[in-house]
Amino acid sequence: MFPKILTQIFGSRNERLLKGYRRTVDKINALESQLQKLDDAALRAKTDEFRQRLAQGTSLDDLLPEAFAVVREAGKRVLKMRHFDVQLIGGMALHEGKIAEMRTGEGKTLVATLPVYLNALPGKGVHVVTVNDYLARRDAEWMGRLYGFLGLTVGVNVPGLSREEKQAAFAADVTYGTNNEFGFDYLRDNMVYDVRERVARGLNYAIVDEVDSILIDEARTPLIISGQAEDHTELYVSVDAVIPKLKKQIGEADPRTGEGVIEPGDFTVDEKAHQVFLTEAGHEKAEQILAEAGLLAPGASLYDPANIALMHHVYAALRAHQLYNRDQHYVVQNGEVVIVDEFTGRLMTGRRWSDGLHQAVEAKEGVRIQSENQTMASVTFQNYFRMYGKLSGMTGTADTEAYEFQEIYGLETVVIPPNKPTVRQDENDLIYKTAKEKYDAVIADIRDCYERGQPVLVGTTSIENSELISELLKKADLPHQVLNAKQHAKEAEIVAQAGRPKMVTIATNMAGRGTDIVLGGNVEKQIQFLEADPALSEDEKKARAQQLTDEWQGLHEKVKSLGGLRIVATERHESRRIDNQLRGRSGRQGDPGSSRFYLSLDDPLMRIFAGDRVRAVMDRLKMPEGEAIEAGIVNRSIESAQRKVEARNFDIRKQLLEYDDVSNDQRKVIYQQRNEILESESLDQQISNLRRATMTEVVRTYVPAESLEEQWDLAALERVLTEEWQLELPLKSIVEGSESITDEEIVDKVIAAADAQFQAKIDLVGSEQFTPFMRMVLLQAMDSHWRDHLAALDYLRQGIHLRGYAQKNPKQEYKREAFELFSQLLDVVKMEVTRVLMTVRIQSRDQASEAAEAIEEQAGQVSNVTYTHPNEDGSVSQEADAATAVAEVPRVGRNDPCPCGSGKKYKSCHGKLA
């Protein structure tokens, strides 16, 4: 009660923020008249003036009113667009590191220019993150004209660029790019073997466009760079043949009475949890079928430790058949299974499901099964974006997820009012008993709009449904356009013209399309085509452009009089935000519009959460066929179902993050050490510390601390030092020849001998030549063991929930064991690096050639030194090198095969070390 009274007196937090921003807007507007008087050169010179003032200690906040006024003036001259006052407010929210929620059509692309310009002035780089490369390229080109006019450079970071192109893109003042590409560049930069191969600069400031899509929808799965692992192709095909022989159980037994199964079967499907479980009878049947297929020893159990992998394959195949549907979760294109993003309806080419699920789907579809992968580096979007010094975002729909943004990213959401009040009519949902009745009603609504000339946007949640409605419209003889992941290339043009009279457009999840639906059609696109036509003279272009504009004005008024854009949605998405995005396509900039959702009790969301209750109401009311329920109470019940799903998805993301935070802390340590190794001129100190720690450990195994002489095993210590470390040291005779000696002195003597032996190697070739070799050995050991560590963490995470049965907290257990694994990782790296550097033989050029020939003859023999090479395809192969690393360049041609037998060219293998 008390907070409500305070809110009434002082206004909500949002209102108080807007009030403060409006005061700054007045200051910006006051500067407009004096900036109008400046010529282009004087306006451009403002950038240098601002940079000088920053160098003298002025803060960005102090510069804000003038910088925003300069951008507004430049926008009017270059883009023929003047920022509205609400756009200035949005720009201030972004500058302060908040999320600006601005409705569709309010010009978010233009809003971003204000904080981008201001934050690019210090020269540390600003990243504008978009959901796809089309938008990144379009916005960089479109807004790049404004930045270029003000003297800033612009880069685009999209897949497929060379290293030099990426370095140039990141060196620019403003870099546009996709979330995936920025994340992968961060991982790749921490896998390089030379500082010059890095592409990115520091993570200074990012503005995330469609922030809800990137930081929430895509945050459920981490970014992973992987190489090839073992090949189980045959096993996937064999297990896939087993699944059709298993029968789905329909209904569920009461756990107390055991009664109630409608039709017993071998497995159950839990749609809410998106999981499949074998029943007791199903386990026995699966074991019998697998034994007949020769995959399981007769009488063996799927739960035997040796069969854990087989069990995993069975469950992957079950999920592929029961939970992943073609043209909804994926499409098959050119003999490949391509994932469809469930939130945007886009194809995610190059992305693959993990844990063998993708291979199971490939087996189900009968396409070529690609090899399994081993994780080489991974990061979640949450942890990547939290590394930026300042982060902000903009979208049309963030308010429903404001709690999650605040909780996970520390981002506050500010709802920016529209430039003109919204007059769109959002009608109550209509709920039908069957899908057929629902689709009949949808077609009737579309026909009514088409006959009157009103444009319609039909929203669906899957490609399958959009194609179904397309078929129904063809039968009804209604012309239409289909916009889904399969029409990726034509997307922008279809959206641009979706507001013309009589246009019917079917769309799958309209998130982040980045193109406005303008009533009457988008005339700018047509004018752009005109200007690009070399056959027309300048006068002809102007005349035709004027004619198109006049025509558009007439069409625009006609569509407005018909009620604007009509949104017809064929089902509710599990997230309210996606539904709001669809509705937000209509009624932009104060235009009229209307929206209606058509549902049936067969829809997934209704069936899982609210179907039984609503069906009971319909039966009680004895509703005739074709009649629908339209009531606020039903709408609220659907909204409550959506809230449940959103809460569950939030828990999934939060749990993913809590587990990833553990590996993230370790990742930071490894990457920081990697960067220090890459950037150090000399590695003598690091190598010396590793060697001292290793030698101390070796000695302490045989000469424990503070122990008596009788407890020492000097003979074994001498043997180990000779055989494993090639260190000849007569410890026994030293001890016998001295009157008194402590265990500390023995440690010191071994360390001194190791230091001397190592120094002799450096003196032989010189520090300049030996340092690159030391750097390579260090980096390869760290990378190889870090990959194994990531795999170990994956296995640990998969089974850690079982600790709950022992009354232990799985998260605490995971943290404890992950820390132990990390300590082991550091110890193994320390031992391996020291062993390689202590046992490496330095040879002259002639000896090296002879040794190279000897290696070829003895290929395959195991020896002291093992290097891990990333192959060109990203896979990992290991080869043994017979205790030889060549410090001077041997007589092997740069393009000849490397004598070590790796199959790579000498320049890409040990020539790199030499």
Side-chain angles (χ1 to χ4, degrees), residues 24 213 258 320 412 497 604 694 698 824:
T24 312
S213 180
E412 185 178 4
Q497 304 311 329
T694 304
V698 170
Q824 289 168 21

Side-chain angles (χ1 to χ4, degrees), residues 129-149:
V129 186
T130 65
V131 283
N132 62 50
D133 3 339
Y134 160 72
L135 287 181
R137 286 196 184 92
R138 186 203 71 174
D139 293 355
E141 189 185 327
W142 187 15
M143 297 298 138
R145 286 153 46 203
L146 190 153
Y147 300 128
F149 176 81

Side-chain angles (χ1 to χ4, degrees), residues 22-61:
R22 285 195 179 102
R23 285 198 286 273
T24 312
V25 169
D26 295 338
K27 292 181 192 171
I28 297 167
N29 289 342
L31 296 166
E32 191 164 13
S33 55
Q34 66 188 69
L35 288 173
Q36 280 173 342
K37 295 170 191 165
L38 300 177
D39 62 10
D40 288 0
L43 192 63
R44 194 175 292 119
K46 281 284 184 186
T47 302
D48 297 327
E49 181 201 316
F50 292 150
R51 282 183 160 157
Q52 281 169 358
R53 283 163 62 185
L54 280 171
Q56 290 158 7
T58 309
S59 74
L60 286 178
D61 291 347

Side-chain angles (χ1 to χ4, degrees), residues 163-175:
R163 191 177 75 219
E164 291 73 19
E165 287 170 325
K166 273 188 176 287
Q167 284 169 336
F170 275 104
D173 295 312
V174 184
T175 310

Side-chain angles (χ1 to χ4, degrees), residues 244-261:
K245 297 173 185 173
L246 298 174
K247 189 177 156 197
K248 180 178 172 180
Q249 175 174 302
I250 296 168
E252 211 172 330
D254 186 310
R256 288 162 300 186
T257 62
E259 295 170 2
V261 172

Side-chain angles (χ1 to χ4, degrees), residues 78-361:
V78 180
L79 302 172
K80 308 286 183 280
M81 295 160 110
R82 179 184 178 277
H83 295 73
F84 301 130
D85 287 358
V86 289
Q87 288 177 309
L88 298 176
I89 291 173
M92 286 176 231
L94 292 175
H95 167 67
E96 288 185 358
K98 292 179 166 50
I99 289 174
E101 184 190 281
M102 303 183 74
R103 299 241 175 102
T104 301
E106 291 291 314
K108 290 188 280 288
T109 311
L110 189 62
V111 169
T113 56
L114 300 158
V116 164
Y117 172 75
L118 178 60
N119 286 275
L121 291 172
K124 292 179 184 171
V126 174
H127 295 171
V128 185
V129 186
T130 65
V131 283
N132 62 50
D133 3 339
Y134 160 72
L135 287 181
R137 286 196 184 92
R138 186 203 71 174
D139 293 355
E141 189 185 327
W142 187 15
M143 297 298 138
R145 286 153 46 203
L146 190 153
Y147 300 128
F149 176 81
L150 290 171
L152 298 183
T153 53
V154 180
V156 186
N157 179 30
V158 289
L161 300 180
S162 68
R163 191 177 75 219
E164 291 73 19
E165 287 170 325
K166 273 188 176 287
Q167 284 169 336
F170 275 104
D173 295 312
V174 184
T175 310
Y176 281 84
T178 64
N179 49 327
N180 290 343
E181 207 55 25
F182 280 123
F184 282 135
D185 284 330
Y186 164 73
L187 292 175
R188 282 191 287 255
D189 276 356
N190 285 293
M191 293 168 74
V192 299
Y193 282 81
D194 188 330
V195 176
R196 289 165 299 188
E197 289 175 15
R198 285 195 209 146
V199 296
R201 298 196 281 169
L203 304 178
N204 170 44
Y205 174 51
I207 294 180
V208 183
D209 192 8
E210 302 297 348
V211 67
D212 53 337
S213 180
I214 291 173
L215 295 192
I216 289 184
D217 298 338
E218 299 211 18
R220 274 199 269 177
T221 48
L223 287 178
I224 296 171
I225 292 181
S226 53
Q228 286 186 337
E230 288 177 74
D231 190 10
H232 293 134
T233 309
E234 289 305 315
L235 189 53
Y236 283 108
V237 177
S238 309
V239 171
D240 187 71
V242 170
I243 303 304
K245 297 173 185 173
L246 298 174
K247 189 177 156 197
K248 180 178 172 180
Q249 175 174 302
I250 296 168
E252 211 172 330
D254 186 310
R256 288 162 300 186
T257 62
E259 295 170 2
V261 172
I262 300 166
E263 204 178 303
D266 303 315
F267 60 87
T268 60
V269 178
D270 182 347
E271 289 187 272
K272 276 189 197 178
H274 208 60
Q275 283 294 345
V276 181
F277 301 100
L278 282 172
T279 61
E280 212 161 313
H283 274 116
E284 290 172 15
K285 189 167 175 185
E287 284 169 0
Q288 181 194 331
I289 298 168
L290 290 166
E292 286 167 11
L295 298 172
L296 193 66
S301 165
L302 268 175
Y303 284 105
D304 289 346
N307 298 326
I308 291 293
L310 185 59
M311 182 76 171
H312 179 76
H313 281 277
V314 171
Y315 269 110
L318 263 174
R319 291 179 69 205
H321 276 267
Q322 295 299 322
L323 297 171
Y324 289 82
N325 305 320
R326 186 169 177 162
D327 284 345
Q328 183 184 351
H329 299 102
Y330 63 89
V331 294
V332 178
Q333 268 189 358
N334 308 324
E336 277 187 35
V337 170
V338 184
I339 300 174
V340 173
D341 185 333
E342 62 173 308
F343 292 98
T344 62
R346 296 179 180 281
L347 292 185
M348 304 207 287
T349 313
R351 288 267 203 110
R352 293 177 66 77
W353 287 304
S354 55
D355 294 334
L357 177 63
H358 209 100
Q359 286 82 359
V361 174

Side-chain angles (χ1 to χ4, degrees), residues 325-333 340 345 347 439 442-443 446 458-476 478 480-488 490 504-509 570-571:
N325 305 320
R326 186 169 177 162
D327 284 345
Q328 183 184 351
H329 299 102
Y330 63 89
V331 294
V332 178
Q333 268 189 358
V340 173
L347 292 185
Y439 288 126
V442 166
I443 301 299
I446 296 170
V458 186
T460 68
T461 59
S462 69
I463 297 173
E464 195 179 18
N465 282 0
S466 66
E467 290 178 347
L468 170 70
I469 289 174
S470 174
E471 287 303 315
L472 292 173
L473 287 173
K474 279 177 194 164
K475 280 182 193 164
L478 291 167
H480 60 279
Q481 293 269 20
V482 182
L483 172 66
N484 60 33
K486 292 184 176 177
Q487 270 76 29
H488 198 74
K490 297 189 291 183
V504 178
T505 311
I506 304 172
T508 310
N509 295 348
T570 61
E571 58 189 300

Side-chain angles (χ1 to χ4, degrees), residues 660-677:
D660 190 65
D661 279 342
V662 177
S663 53
N664 192 50
D665 294 338
Q666 298 175 0
R667 186 188 300 118
K668 282 179 184 167
V669 172
I670 289 287
Y671 286 178
Q672 184 189 346
Q673 289 189 354
R674 246 187 143 273
N675 289 332
E676 283 170 11
I677 292 165

